[in-house]
Amino acid sequence: MWRVVSAGIAALSIAAGLTGCSGTGLLIGVRAGQPGLAETLPGGGWSGFDIAVAHYVARQLGYRKDQIRYTTDLDSADLVMGPAREPYVGPYLVAAKDILVRARDRDRSLKELAGGLVCGTRADTLGLAGRFGAEWRAAHLAEANVPAACGPLLADRRTDAIIADAPVLAGLSAQYPGRFRLVGRPLAQERYGIGLSERTESWRDEIEDALRQMYDDGSWHRAVIDYLGELATQYEMPPALEKR
């Protein structure tokens, strides 16, 4: 029970049958279950900072709203949002990995996590597992398929801390008003970019121009305010786009 936690998110491949940019629409890959960045809405559709960036770029590329589709099958997507994977355009966000605890709990340092119960995805906890070893992983780690799955465990005191990128933790905290808080001790840094497929690698310049336009017209900053909550003041300026 303690090793694996599932969020119960339906439709983890909601757009697998779409043809992508070679047809009439644009298929964009996102990572579900990340509050603040990309999450499904109760009535259908998607919301979050990654979605706002993806939608803006797609519209700048000439796609109508009804031509933009999202999928969690990243290998089938025309563009992929999130932690940068080559080749990519960006970054559109530089995020620190951090720790989320209950509001009244004391702060937990990296060293203190060795004796606590921790929840996170395999990618987010890879560094801890490597540092503390297999025995710690078996006894102290709840491995979740998505960060959102960790929220109920922290709320119910079944874990002591959640490890994820700070924007995700801020979004998760917003779902439990007043109950959680960020420790504010960055553990690592993650660059978010728009990953290109073989079909879209030639679009690099157009996508870069779209991101730059989003920066210049204030849309990027408005999305920060709308979706990154308590972290908005840390992202007053967009990151510099890398030349590749």
Side-chain angles (χ1 to χ4, degrees), residues 156-223:
D156 295 342
R157 310 189 76 84
R158 287 179 286 163
T159 192
D160 299 315
I162 301 173
I163 305 294
D165 290 347
V168 176
L169 296 179
L172 194 55
S173 181
Q175 295 183 347
Y176 295 81
R179 299 183 65 181
F180 300 160
R181 65 181 175 86
L182 276 164
V183 172
R185 293 180 178 171
L187 305 179
Q189 195 175 77
E190 190 77 74
R191 305 174 81 77
Y192 284 67
I194 301 178
L196 308 175
S197 67
E198 291 182 1
R199 301 181 296 278
T200 57
E201 193 165 357
S202 63
W203 298 9
R204 179 183 296 276
D205 290 344
E206 288 81 0
I207 294 172
E208 185 175 304
D209 288 343
L211 279 179
R212 188 172 287 108
Q213 177 67 25
M214 188 179 190
Y215 293 176
D216 292 344
D217 69 14
S219 298
W220 183 90
H221 191 250
R222 286 193 293 274

Side-chain angles (χ1 to χ4, degrees), residues 1-211:
M1 171 266 183
W2 184 242
R3 285 296 305 279
V4 180
V5 185
S6 176
I9 294 178
L12 286 186
S13 185
I14 61 174
L18 297 179
T19 58
C21 64
S22 60
T24 59
L26 183 67
L27 187 58
I28 301 176
V30 294
R31 295 162 174 82
Q34 300 193 80
L37 293 180
E39 57 185 331
T40 52
L41 297 172
W46 292 81
S47 179
F49 185 76
D50 282 357
I51 305 302
V53 174
H55 189 81
Y56 185 98
V57 168
R59 294 303 300 269
Q60 289 296 115
L61 292 174
Y63 287 91
R64 301 189 309 269
K65 182 178 180 179
D66 64 337
Q67 292 178 311
I68 304 167
R69 299 291 184 270
Y70 296 96
T71 180
T72 57
D73 181 3
L74 304 186
D75 291 334
S76 72
D78 300 315
L79 303 175
V80 176
M81 311 300 295
R85 63 183 207 173
E86 297 287 352
Y88 75 93
V89 179
Y92 60 83
L93 184 70
V94 178
K97 204 170 297 295
D98 211 323
I99 305 168
L100 191 71
V101 297
R102 286 178 291 273
R104 295 186 179 182
D105 287 357
R106 60 184 176 83
D107 287 353
R108 289 185 174 272
S109 66
L110 187 60
K111 183 178 180 180
E112 288 174 323
L113 292 178
L117 302 177
V118 178
C119 185
T121 67
R122 177 179 292 269
D124 286 331
T125 59
L126 189 61
L128 292 181
R131 177 174 181 144
F132 298 142
E135 290 186 7
W136 175 86
R137 181 173 181 173
H140 295 271
L141 177 61
E143 191 174 284
N145 62 334
V146 292
C150 295
L153 299 189
L154 187 62
D156 295 342
R157 310 189 76 84
R158 287 179 286 163
T159 192
D160 299 315
I162 301 173
I163 305 294
D165 290 347
V168 176
L169 296 179
L172 194 55
S173 181
Q175 295 183 347
Y176 295 81
R179 299 183 65 181
F180 300 160
R181 65 181 175 86
L182 276 164
V183 172
R185 293 180 178 171
L187 305 179
Q189 195 175 77
E190 190 77 74
R191 305 174 81 77
Y192 284 67
I194 301 178
L196 308 175
S197 67
E198 291 182 1
R199 301 181 296 278
T200 57
E201 193 165 357
S202 63
W203 298 9
R204 179 183 296 276
D205 290 344
E206 288 81 0
I207 294 172
E208 185 175 304
D209 288 343
L211 279 179

